[in-house]
């Protein structure tokens, strides 16, 4: 078991004040906290916290075929678990109705693309799978955990006038111009649940819950990303873990809970 290093990233839509459990200094507008190994090898998965005070761009990530045409190894699928949000916070997923590429180009030109997007209110405990090709936007006043395939490929369609490049034709080449129709489960803090099966999805993901004194076992023989959302504990060597961290576990690692809590455990795809 080894701890991944947290890297806070400034973003124009980030927060000036972060939750105390993240433990970062004030004074910077932090939008992401990304966890990596600090080594050159590329992890199969990437875990990050996203913290917003404004809407992110309306964007899309490519699938494998489109990403490889653009010179990347693979595409990017991601999943979100909502930790906290203000009342009325929204995310955009897919379109209100099916559209054409020309509809999207026209809406970008006259700055009405927001009106085509299907916006929905969010609440803590909700889980969203965002497959490659899904046009999406995370709204303001949200704190979430994102688990993704480790690919840094984002094509922006619209950015609310911010001075950042758009990638309209690249985005349209891979975007699903349709409604988002995946189920959105609400996960209770004490619930144990498989969110994504590793043999049928881009990665596997479980939500687990534990009590003080519980042994936390793994169902994977390979690496697993352990993200404590609440609670504390230790591994067999005595290393302490807590909320706001991310660890990589191997098949023989054992975890012991020291308080009530819950966590996410992600594993690479078995497909």
């Amino acid at each position: 078991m080894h701890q991944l290093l947290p890297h806070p990233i400034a973003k124009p839509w980030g927060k000036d004040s972060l939750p105390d459990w993240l433990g970062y200094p004030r004074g910077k507008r932090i939008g992401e906290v990304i966890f990596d190994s600090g080594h050159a090898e590329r992890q199969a998965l990437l875990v990050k916290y996203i913290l917003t005070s404004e809407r992110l761009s309306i964007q899309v990530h490519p699938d494998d075929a489109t990403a490889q045409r653009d010179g990347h190894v693979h595409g990017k699928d991601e999943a979100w678990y909502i930790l906290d949000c203000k009342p009325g916070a929204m995310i955009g997923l897919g379109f209100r109705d099916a559209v054409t590429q020309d509809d999207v180009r026209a809406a970008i030109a006259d700055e009405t693309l927001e009106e085509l997007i299907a916006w929905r209110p969010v609440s803590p405990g909700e889980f969203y799978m965002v497959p490659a090709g899904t046009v999406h936007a995370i709204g303001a006043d949200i704190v979430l955990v994102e688990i993704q395939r480790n690919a840094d490929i984002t094509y922006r369609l619209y950015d609310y006038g911010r001075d950042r490049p758009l990638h309209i034709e690249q985005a349209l080449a891979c975007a699903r111009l349709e409604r988002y129709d995946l189920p959105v489960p609400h996960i209770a803090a004490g619930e144990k649940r498989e969110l994504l099966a590793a043999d049928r999805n881009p990665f596997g993901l479980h939500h687990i819950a534990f009590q003080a004194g519980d042994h936390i076992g793994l169902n994977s023989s390979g690496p697993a990303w352990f993200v404590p959302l609440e609670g504390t504990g230790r591994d067999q060597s005595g290393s302490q873990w807590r909320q706001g961290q991310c660890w990589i576990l191997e098949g023989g690692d054992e975890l012991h809970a020291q308080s009530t809590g819950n966590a996410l455990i992600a594993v690479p795809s078995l497909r």
Side-chain angles (χ1 to χ4, degrees), residues 78-102:
E78 59 192 29
W80 305 332
Y81 181 86
I82 308 297
L83 289 173
D84 192 21
C85 60
K86 289 186 178 179
M90 309 279 281
I91 60 171
L93 280 172
F95 292 88
R96 294 169 58 190
D97 299 291
V99 295
T100 67
Q101 291 189 353
D102 285 342

Side-chain angles (χ1 to χ4, degrees), residues 148-161:
Q148 61 165 88
R149 294 177 75 199
N150 195 358
D152 186 16
I153 322 169
T154 298
Y155 299 144
R156 297 189 196 97
L157 284 162
Y158 184 69
D159 201 28
Y160 311 99

Side-chain angles (χ1 to χ4, degrees), residues 183-188 191-196 205-209 263-264:
V184 179
H186 186 279
I187 314 302
E191 184 176 356
K192 298 180 180 180
R193 182 166 180 172
E194 181 180 62
L195 302 175
L196 297 171
L205 187 64
H206 281 77
H207 180 273
I208 66 168
L264 297 173

Side-chain angles (χ1 to χ4, degrees), residues 7-240:
H7 296 282
I9 308 295
K11 295 288 185 178
W13 40 260
K15 285 183 175 289
D16 298 311
S17 178
L18 303 185
D20 291 339
W21 47 264
L22 274 176
Y24 296 110
R26 311 296 182 185
K28 292 184 178 181
R29 195 166 223 212
I30 301 301
E32 297 179 348
V33 178
I34 295 174
F35 295 90
D36 69 33
S37 64
H39 302 296
E41 74 270 13
R42 192 167 188 83
Q43 302 172 55
L45 304 179
L46 186 69
V47 173
K48 64 175 71 169
Y49 287 96
I50 295 179
L51 311 102
T52 71
S53 62
E54 301 175 8
R55 285 181 177 179
L56 279 67
S57 63
I58 298 175
Q59 58 185 242
V60 67
H61 308 302
D63 60 14
D64 286 348
T66 306
Q68 289 163 5
R69 286 200 299 268
D70 288 348
H72 302 281
V73 176
H74 57 72
K76 179 180 175 182
D77 305 82
E78 59 192 29
W80 305 332
Y81 181 86
I82 308 297
L83 289 173
D84 192 21
C85 60
K86 289 186 178 179
M90 309 279 281
I91 60 171
L93 280 172
F95 292 88
R96 294 169 58 190
D97 299 291
V99 295
T100 67
Q101 291 189 353
D102 285 342
D103 292 334
V104 175
R105 290 188 187 98
I108 293 169
D110 62 18
E111 300 184 348
T112 59
L113 184 61
E114 291 174 84
E115 298 174 15
L116 299 183
I117 300 299
W119 295 94
R120 62 176 73 200
V122 297
S123 62
E126 287 180 337
F127 172 74
Y128 294 86
M129 180 60 196
V130 186
T134 304
V135 175
H136 61 276
I138 299 172
D141 301 318
I142 295 172
V143 179
L144 62 82
V145 178
E146 178 177 293
I147 295 93
Q148 61 165 88
R149 294 177 75 199
N150 195 358
D152 186 16
I153 322 169
T154 298
Y155 299 144
R156 297 189 196 97
L157 284 162
Y158 184 69
D159 201 28
Y160 311 99
R162 300 183 184 113
D163 188 20
R164 298 192 296 175
L166 301 179
H167 318 92
I168 295 170
E169 295 308 315
Q170 288 170 297
L172 289 174
C174 64
R176 301 179 183 183
L177 304 180
E178 58 193 26
R179 295 172 61 90
Y180 175 91
D181 60 0
L182 294 179
V184 179
H186 186 279
I187 314 302
E191 184 176 356
K192 298 180 180 180
R193 182 166 180 172
E194 181 180 62
L195 302 175
L196 297 171
D199 60 348
R200 300 194 303 274
N201 291 283
F203 47 87
L205 187 64
H206 281 77
H207 180 273
I208 66 168
F210 45 83
Q211 304 288 326
D214 282 356
H215 165 75
I216 301 170
L218 299 179
N219 295 322
S220 171
S221 59
W225 281 251
F226 175 64
V227 187
L229 304 178
E230 187 177 9
T232 59
R234 59 178 176 82
D235 70 0
Q236 66 268 31
S237 70
S239 295
Q240 299 287 315

